[in-house]
Amino acid sequence: MNVVAVAVPAFSPGTPEHALATWVRREGGFVGKVRVETRDGLRGLFVTEPVRAGELLVSVPPGCIVSADEDPQWGLSLRELLTARLVGARTRGQCQPYLDSLPTLDGAPLLCDWSDEELEQLQAAELAELARGMPPFVAASCERVRPYVQAEASVVEWAERMVRTRAMFFDTGVSRRMSLVPVVDLANHRTPPRRSAMDGELLEPVALGSDGESVALVARSDLRTGEEVCLTYRHEGNGQLLLHYGFAEMICADQPCFETLRLGASSTPLAAALHLGSDEADAAALAALRRHLVDGGAEGEAASALDTGVCSALAAACEAELRRMPTSEEEDARELASLSLSADDAGRRRSALTFRVVQKAQLARVAQMLHSLLACGGAPTAAQVWQRSCVA
């Protein structure tokens, strides 16, 4: 990538972010047309001038990055190796401007930190159980790291949380790498909009530099002054975002949906998940429902009739799940709109309501789409289920 860019001093002097940007530049990196702002209580990275897709925004040299490559000889996962590296950097006083910019453990809450009462607000028993099971898993991971570092348990726990919520994966061509990248990790998450064939593909905003060690952040699309620079942390829906990052995302009409919709009680065959986002996952869900009908006595029916039955059962399961929930999508949306940003518990309540609104909107959308397609004759394909369920 041949890009000429001029640095703009847009970080407020005296702030940890200004010290961070100054340090990155001093070490040979580049911080361009970006600044840090807090909007609606959330810190993020915003452009100071119009930028074009592909324009270099930040380049972080290897001396500022905390990284770990896969190395089976240690008996640690890649996440655990990076946790140990971060603890080591803290113990030795390395990368101090970066360490000063990181939050405390309490400043990076995840779903596993919610109380039982707060987890009930999700109206999703399976997700709540995953959250309750996470602390023992994290504690065991931290215990595996401790023999390799000289630090108290609380420091290892903090490092594990920083890695879980901020680290990025890279393929070096030789092995997988996990890195903590200053300035770049100030960018918030957003699922990018769907693209038509005429639009072309969105640029991948974060990549290793030509030296295989530095990390570059570019604009993945044209941005106007003041627009936010965002990354996509993962394509797995709000359940995973809540578990690993502590927030939920409101899905707009122009965004694809990667939600996992749970249908029916966990003890029934209809508990198979419907994953929206790929034809393969949709096909697997339809196959699970097909097997349920076969076990119920539909084995001798023709394939076309069975497919219609599967889709009817899927629509009915979506509607049953909506009836099971104690509040409606409309009620949740009204409460979400009324929340005060200044309320102490507004963050978790907002995340719970956002999760609920998106889940219910997708359940209703899938049911409506299936009824519409079945009314037109013939069973929809998995591709049709995915395409139409992601359109408002």
Side-chain angles (χ1 to χ4, degrees):
M1 181 188 304
N2 296 319
V3 180
V4 177
V6 178
V8 177
F11 288 72
S12 300
T15 64
E17 294 82 13
H18 180 266
L20 187 65
T22 301
W23 171 61
V24 168
R25 293 189 183 108
R26 188 173 61 242
E27 293 297 317
F30 169 80
V31 180
K33 302 174 184 176
V34 293
R35 65 169 175 259
V36 174
E37 290 185 22
T38 299
R39 298 183 182 179
D40 295 333
L42 188 65
R43 183 176 67 170
L45 207 58
F46 300 83
V47 296
T48 58
E49 299 178 24
V51 299
R52 304 287 300 196
E55 184 171 344
L56 181 65
L57 301 175
V58 178
S59 178
V60 184
C64 297
I65 301 170
V66 183
S67 290
D69 287 357
E70 283 184 320
D71 193 344
Q73 69 173 323
W74 296 104
L76 298 176
S77 69
L78 186 53
R79 188 189 306 276
E80 290 164 350
L81 284 170
L82 184 54
T83 299
R85 291 284 175 85
L86 180 58
V87 173
R90 173 170 166 157
T91 301
R92 294 186 294 271
Q94 297 173 331
C95 303
Q96 196 60 48
Y98 180 52
L99 296 177
D100 290 342
S101 73
L102 294 176
T104 63
L105 184 63
D106 291 340
L110 299 181
L111 198 61
C112 61
D113 300 316
W114 291 24
S115 67
D116 285 343
E117 183 179 356
E118 289 169 331
L119 289 173
E120 289 299 318
Q121 295 176 13
L122 294 168
Q123 299 178 4
E126 185 171 346
L127 182 57
E129 283 306 305
L130 286 174
R132 293 187 183 100
M134 196 169 171
F137 171 81
V138 170
S141 179
C142 290
E143 282 303 308
R144 287 192 291 272
V145 171
R146 287 195 67 191
Y148 298 96
V149 298
Q150 296 179 344
E152 295 180 355
S154 60
V155 174
V156 178
E157 186 181 358
W158 167 84
E160 195 280 340
R161 180 66 58 89
M162 295 304 103
V163 170
R164 181 173 298 278
T165 57
R166 308 180 80 86
M168 303 175 187
F169 286 98
F170 300 98
D171 186 348
T172 67
V174 178
S175 66
R176 290 197 313 154
R177 175 177 299 170
M178 202 176 202
S179 301
L180 292 163
V181 188
V183 183
V184 175
D185 67 3
L186 293 171
N188 290 316
H189 164 89
R190 180 173 170 79
T191 299
R194 288 190 304 276
R195 309 284 286 183
S196 70
M198 297 293 291
D199 294 328
E201 294 186 4
L202 281 170
L203 293 171
E204 176 56 49
V206 180
L208 291 174
S210 58
D211 59 1
E213 300 294 335
S214 60
V215 173
L217 170 67
V218 303
R220 67 180 172 190
S221 62
D222 293 347
L223 294 173
R224 297 185 298 273
T225 299
E227 285 197 299
E228 188 171 10
V229 180
C230 292
L231 312 177
T232 300
Y233 296 171
R234 57 203 305 156
H235 297 277
E236 298 176 278
N238 278 331
Q240 292 300 310
L241 288 176
L242 280 166
L243 284 169
H244 297 287
Y245 301 97
F247 68 88
E249 176 188 24
M250 183 61 71
I251 300 297
C252 301
D254 66 342
Q255 293 172 281
C257 176
F258 298 97
E259 289 302 291
T260 297
L261 306 181
R262 301 292 173 182
L263 306 178
S266 59
S267 61
T268 72
L270 288 180
L274 171 63
H275 296 267
L276 304 180
S278 75
D279 294 346
E280 293 79 6
D282 293 340
L286 292 175
L289 284 168
R290 181 180 293 113
R291 287 193 297 273
H292 170 70
L293 289 185
V294 168
D295 292 341
E299 189 170 5
E301 296 182 16
S304 59
L306 186 57
D307 285 343
T308 299
V310 165
C311 295
S312 297
L314 179 58
C318 290
E319 292 166 340
E321 187 69 7
L322 285 169
R323 290 193 298 271
R324 181 192 66 80
M325 294 179 177
T327 59
S328 68
E329 176 192 347
E330 292 75 16
E331 291 170 328
D332 292 344
R334 283 196 299 271
E335 183 181 349
L336 181 60
S338 69
L339 283 182
S340 169
L341 288 173
S342 61
D344 292 338
D345 62 347
R348 296 183 184 186
R349 183 62 176 169
R350 177 173 286 102
S351 292
L353 287 167
T354 299
F355 175 82
R356 282 156 47 175
V357 168
V358 171
Q359 283 277 302
K360 292 168 186 178
Q362 293 305 313
L363 284 166
R365 191 170 297 167
V366 171
Q368 182 181 22
M369 175 274 304
L370 285 167
H371 284 309
S372 176
L373 287 174
L374 289 169
C376 295
T381 65
Q384 287 174 309
V385 172
W386 171 76
Q387 182 181 30
R388 299 205 181 188
S389 66
C390 294
V391 178

